[in-house]
Amino acid sequence: MSATQLAALARSTTPQSTLRRFLALDAVVTGVNALAYLALPGPLGRFLGVDSALLLALGAFLAAYAAGVGLLAARPAPPAPGVRTVVEANLAWAVASLVALALWLTPSTAGAVWTVLQALTVAGFAVLQHTALKARQGSSV
């Protein structure tokens, strides 16, 4: 993905703003997911074919993670090590989701589709954040 394509996607012309926007979007999406898991573990668990206790635990983890990513996004210049940690955590989450689906979870069809879609979304955030970080580092040289 070129810097121009990335800037267009983020609707920003500065690499710093692009990076912050992708981090903020990640925090918002993750936070909404966390709130849904925390507020509706029973109905969502039945729909997705996943134990409600697992959704509660995931919701608590995701809420803390979203807060951390949000704090990183709020910094005027998010530090590269923090951004790399978010990228790596997102990639690990995507892989772990797919491995859990293949080896452990037995969700409903909706749950299987949800698991794959959220893994792809999280991996997409990782790619966007990594690319934006590289663009920022290239512009500051």
Side-chain angles (χ1 to χ4, degrees), residues 3-106:
T4 304
Q5 291 170 317
L6 194 65
L9 185 60
R11 297 179 189 259
S12 172
T13 56
T14 63
Q16 187 72 341
S17 294
T18 299
L19 177 58
R20 292 180 66 214
R21 285 182 185 191
F22 288 138
L23 288 167
L25 182 60
D26 185 356
V28 169
V29 170
T30 302
V32 168
N33 198 25
L35 290 175
Y37 288 175
L38 290 169
L40 303 166
L44 281 176
R46 287 187 294 279
F47 178 68
L48 300 173
V50 178
D51 185 60
S52 61
L54 175 62
L55 290 181
L56 277 173
L58 289 174
F61 171 78
L62 290 174
Y65 183 76
V69 176
L71 287 173
L72 191 61
R75 301 215 28 203
V83 176
R84 281 193 290 276
T85 299
V86 169
V87 168
E88 291 167 6
N90 282 344
L91 291 174
W93 179 272
V95 170
S97 295
L98 297 176
V99 168
L101 182 59
L103 301 178
W104 175 54
L105 295 175
T106 53

